[in-house]
Amino acid sequence: MPSQSTRIVYIAGYGRSGSTLLDIALGQHPAVVGAGEITSLTRHVWSHNEYCACSHPIRDCAVWSTVLQEWSKGWDSTLMSEYCALQQKFEGLPMFMKVFCGVGLGKQFAPYALHTKRLFDAMLSCSGRQMIVDSSKLPGRAMALAQIPGIDMRVIHLVRDGRGVAWSLLKGYERDEKSGLQKEIRPKSVFRTALRWSIVNLAVEYLLRKLGPQKVMRVRYEDFASNPVEIMREIGTFLELDLSEIGSTLQNGRPIGPGHQVAGNRLRMNASIALNKDEAWRTRMPAGQQVSFQRLGGWMLRRYGYL
């Protein structure tokens, strides 16, 4: 396993904000593994044999089957279920309360930290690359990863106009495993989205206070979609990578291909993907619903420059 610090790029924020697309874009760099929502790998992707972005069920994917074989080497068959239980304990928002209140993480954090780092190191060892993108988004998971010795993590706080997020979540989708929809997605109310969008983004902001500005940067999805050259330049400086070629590819409208992302947006199942600002909500979302979102989340919209 690598002896140096394990480098992780963690994309944090709320769903439907472009995290899968940014993950795929960063994964175009030859030193980077764009892995998708890694938290889901052991929670349900492997046990349900869900599809990898390579279009194969995860257990038939040469990459992930090799990684999981390496990770579980020397451990008994209960590793996956036991680790999943540890994830449930340490990757939720309650993790924030423990850190915020200065409460000890307890003895169970040590095995969580051990197996999490082992999984990352197996991914790097099997891929031959130097950095992993984890687009799990959960701020609690980011806080947990920050407590693990030997992990050098940078956090990208990805924000999208909450009204666009709410409009996207108003639509429901039937289960379609091969297209990346592993379960039925039911419509979410504007009120629910506004509340959760605000809470999650505030939680991610706490990461900046806790980890410091050198470890966390904020990116608005709309800026990324409008000017990928500049945003990829800024992200490249933050991560100490040359991402200029990727930025130019996106700026010129040339499609990019996914790698082996797990979970996340169903667009990962497309053979080629183009950057799209997607602001249909401005004309298609009823004015009443936009106003409803602004009543609860307007102060956060102003915070991020959307009002």
Side-chain angles (χ1 to χ4, degrees):
M1 296 193 302
S3 59
Q4 60 184 14
S5 294
T6 304
R7 300 185 67 191
I8 305 296
V9 184
Y10 191 89
I11 303 176
Y14 201 67
R16 306 295 176 91
S17 297
S19 59
T20 299
L21 183 53
L22 181 56
D23 185 306
I24 292 170
L26 293 173
Q28 305 300 302
H29 193 282
V32 177
V33 179
E37 298 181 3
I38 301 175
T39 183
S40 300
L41 175 66
T42 43
R43 285 179 184 245
H44 55 79
V45 171
W46 185 260
S47 60
H48 296 164
N49 201 23
E50 297 174 11
Y51 278 80
C52 173
C54 70
S55 80
H56 291 100
I58 195 74
R59 297 187 185 188
D60 295 332
C61 171
V63 170
W64 285 113
S65 58
T66 302
V67 168
L68 268 297
Q69 183 178 21
E70 176 72 19
W71 181 63
S72 50
K73 187 184 299 181
W75 299 85
D76 62 35
S77 59
T78 63
L79 172 62
M80 187 78 72
S81 60
E82 291 176 358
Y83 179 65
C84 185
L86 292 171
Q87 287 181 280
Q88 297 282 2
K89 182 178 179 65
F90 292 110
E91 294 184 359
L93 284 175
M95 180 71 184
F96 265 85
M97 297 308 299
K98 289 185 178 182
V99 175
F100 183 79
C101 298
V103 177
L105 299 177
K107 294 181 179 179
Q108 285 188 307
F109 188 76
Y112 168 79
L114 171 67
H115 294 309
T116 300
K117 189 171 186 303
R118 285 182 56 251
L119 178 57
F120 285 140
D121 287 344
M123 292 168 63
L124 291 176
S125 176
C126 293
S127 67
R129 301 194 179 193
Q130 293 82 50
M131 185 181 296
I132 297 168
V133 179
D134 181 352
S135 53
S136 295
K137 295 187 293 295
L138 302 173
R141 175 172 166 85
M143 185 61 77
L145 297 183
Q147 314 304 311
I148 299 177
I151 286 184
D152 176 9
M153 183 177 66
R154 299 290 186 273
V155 177
I156 298 176
H157 179 194
L158 186 62
V159 178
R160 182 187 175 194
D161 191 312
R163 292 164 295 185
V165 173
W167 173 244
S168 179
L169 289 170
L170 281 170
K171 308 163 194 171
Y173 297 93
E174 296 292 330
R175 178 180 177 181
D176 184 351
E177 294 182 4
K178 288 188 176 181
S179 70
L181 294 169
Q182 307 302 326
K183 62 181 180 179
E184 178 188 0
I185 298 178
R186 298 180 179 179
K188 308 297 190 300
S189 72
V190 171
F191 177 84
R192 176 186 184 278
T193 300
L195 180 63
R196 292 168 68 90
W197 178 84
S198 300
I199 291 172
V200 168
N201 281 303
L202 277 177
V204 180
E205 287 193 27
Y206 179 71
L207 285 169
L208 189 148
R209 295 188 181 185
K210 186 69 178 177
L211 305 181
Q214 74 280 3
K215 296 279 190 177
V216 184
M217 75 171 292
R218 182 177 300 141
V219 173
R220 297 198 322 171
Y221 176 75
E222 294 80 2
D223 298 333
F224 172 50
S226 298
N227 191 355
V229 168
E230 177 60 21
I231 296 303
M232 292 304 278
R233 184 193 65 78
E234 293 177 3
I235 294 175
T237 299
F238 178 60
L239 301 179
E240 300 176 342
L241 291 173
D242 182 1
L243 302 175
S244 57
E245 185 175 343
I246 301 171
S248 296
T249 295
L250 295 170
Q251 185 77 55
N252 293 329
R254 295 196 298 270
I256 55 177
H260 292 274
Q261 287 78 16
V262 294
N265 193 289
R266 67 190 187 282
L267 69 80
R268 76 186 191 282
M269 303 305 297
N270 297 340
S272 63
I273 302 159
L275 187 58
N276 179 11
K277 195 171 183 180
D278 188 13
E279 291 197 313
W281 67 268
R282 292 188 179 275
T283 55
R284 298 179 62 186
M285 186 178 186
Q289 290 179 332
Q290 294 191 38
V291 170
S292 294
F293 187 97
Q294 289 169 210
R295 283 175 178 163
L296 184 60
W299 65 287
M300 288 291 286
L301 291 173
R302 284 187 288 273
R303 189 180 188 89
Y304 299 136
Y306 291 121
L307 285 180

